[in-house]
Amino acid sequence: MVCTTTGANNMPASQIRKDGVQTSSTVRRHRVLVNLTDEQLAAADGWRSAHGINDQSEALAELIRLGLLSEIAKIFRLVSDKTSQTTSQSERATESTLVSQ
């Protein structure tokens, strides 16, 4: 996938989409050229249609947003899991000490 930024503009976008997402009143938008395979484009268009999004650029931007959120969630889960494992180990050590006394 090749991306190049070709410019930016401010677009008013105070709409509620069919999927219930409300866009903010003014959003800075960047124009990006992306090369997709036929399969990627077909998948994105299928997703766009299934979610009632008419604009292809809006659908691709939403897919990118969702992908980024998914990646952030994975990182958060890894950190949370490590924190809970450490806490569980500490709790077991405390319980073990209390039982042996």
Side-chain angles (χ1 to χ4, degrees):
M1 183 182 311
V2 176
C3 298
T4 57
T5 301
T6 60
N9 59 11
N10 291 330
M11 299 174 61
S14 56
Q15 302 174 359
I16 297 179
R17 298 189 324 223
K18 288 182 182 179
D19 62 359
V21 175
Q22 182 174 2
T23 57
S24 61
S25 59
T26 302
V27 178
R28 182 178 169 108
R29 302 271 182 181
H30 296 270
R31 186 174 304 262
V32 178
L33 175 65
V34 179
N35 295 322
L36 301 175
T37 65
D38 290 339
E39 293 81 15
Q40 290 170 325
L41 184 59
D45 282 341
W47 184 89
R48 177 183 57 81
S49 178
H51 287 82
I53 301 172
N54 294 325
D55 185 79
Q56 189 178 52
S57 293
E58 183 182 348
L60 291 172
E62 182 65 8
L63 283 169
I64 291 168
R65 186 185 76 81
L66 292 171
L68 291 170
L69 288 173
S70 174
E71 289 300 310
I72 291 167
K74 286 179 193 175
I75 293 167
F76 179 74
R77 277 193 300 272
L78 288 173
V79 171
S80 295
D81 289 347
K82 287 180 181 177
T83 303
S84 65
Q85 288 173 359
T86 303
T87 303
S88 296
Q89 290 171 354
S90 298
E91 289 171 352
R92 284 194 296 269
T94 303
E95 288 171 5
S96 174
T97 303
L98 292 174
V99 170
S100 65
Q101 289 178 355

